[in-house]
C-alpha cells in the first residue's frame, strides 16, 4: 500500500525487500533493496538495505557477497550491534569459524543468556529453510541451545 501511494519511497522499498527475503524470494528482494538505494543514495538508513542484501545473498549461497554487503552496513552504521548476528551467520556458513566467533562475541556482549531458541523464536517469520540455515550458522559459531 505504501508503494501504491508513493512508488518513490525508499524506506518502503527496503521493507518490501525484507518481506521478500523472509518469504524466500531473494532475487526480487535484492531488486527492491537496490531500488531503495537508487532512490535515496544518501539516506542515513540505507545501511538496512545492505543488511537485507547480505541476507538475500546468503539465501542464494553467495557468501562472499553477503559478507561484503553486511560489513558495509556495519561500517556505515558503527554503533549498530544487531547486524553482528547476521555477520556471524555469514562467516560461519562460509567456513570462517574463528571470525564468526569474534563477531558472535561482539553481538552477545550486551545480551547475556541469548540462545539459539531465542533467536529462532524472534525470527519465526523467516522462511523455514532459510531460518534453519541461519540458526545453523549461529550454532557453528558457538551460540548455545
Amino acid at each position: 500500500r505504501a508503494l501504491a501511494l508513493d512508488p518513490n519511497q525508499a524506506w518502503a522499498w527496503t521493507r518490501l525487500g525484507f518481506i521478500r527475503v523472509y518469504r524466500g524470494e531473494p532475487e526480487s528482494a535484492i531488486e527492491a533493496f537496490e531500488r531503495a538505494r537508487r532512490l535515496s543514495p544518501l539516506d542515513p538508513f540505507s545501511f538496512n538495505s545492505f543488511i537485507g542484501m547480505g541476507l538475500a545473498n546468503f539465501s542464494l549461497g553467495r557468501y562472499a557477497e553477503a559478507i561484503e554487503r553486511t560489513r558495509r552496513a556495519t561500517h556505515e552504521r558503527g554503533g549498530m550491534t544487531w547486524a553482528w548476528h547476521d555477520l556471524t551467520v555469514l562467516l560461519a556458513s562460509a567456513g570462517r569459524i574463528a571470525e564468526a566467533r569474534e563477531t558472535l562475541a561482539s553481538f552477545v556482549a550486551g545480551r547475556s543468556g541469548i540462545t539459539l531458541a531465542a533467536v529462532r523464536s524472534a525470527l519465526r517469520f523467516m522462511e523455514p529453510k532459510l531460518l534453519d540455515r541461519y540458526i545453523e550458522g549461529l550454532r557453528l559459531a558457538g551460540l548455545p541451545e
Side-chain angles (χ1 to χ4, degrees):
R1 178 148 161 72
L3 289 171
L5 294 171
D6 183 0
N8 293 315
Q9 175 50 260
W11 183 246
W13 281 104
T14 298
R15 299 316 307 160
L16 179 62
F18 277 104
I19 289 167
R20 287 177 174 172
V21 75
Y22 293 151
R23 285 193 317 204
E25 303 168 11
E27 293 93 353
S28 63
I30 291 170
E31 291 171 10
F33 293 126
E34 288 175 344
R35 184 154 181 188
R37 293 279 305 150
R38 282 192 308 275
L39 287 168
S40 189
L42 302 177
D43 191 326
F45 294 104
S46 66
F47 67 92
N48 287 293
S49 288
F50 287 117
I51 291 169
M53 284 188 261
L55 187 59
N57 279 290
F58 167 72
S59 179
L60 293 166
R62 300 178 194 156
Y63 300 126
E65 175 116 6
I67 292 166
E68 185 274 325
R69 296 293 185 163
T70 305
R71 281 201 192 278
R72 183 165 177 186
T74 61
H75 291 303
E76 282 193 12
R77 188 68 166 212
M80 171 188 52
T81 61
W82 53 269
W84 290 107
H85 63 81
D86 280 6
L87 192 54
T88 298
V89 168
L90 305 175
L91 290 166
S93 298
R96 296 163 60 177
I97 303 300
E99 289 174 85
R101 288 188 174 144
E102 288 176 23
T103 58
L104 179 63
S106 296
F107 176 68
V108 300
R111 296 167 178 86
S112 64
I114 191 162
T115 64
L116 291 172
V119 173
R120 181 179 289 281
S121 177
L123 298 177
R124 64 186 173 275
F125 51 83
M126 196 180 282
E127 188 273 323
K129 289 180 184 174
L130 179 59
L131 179 56
D132 288 345
R133 288 180 51 220
Y134 194 94
I135 295 299
E136 182 58 24
L138 291 172
R139 181 179 288 111
L140 288 170
L143 190 66
E145 294 289 330

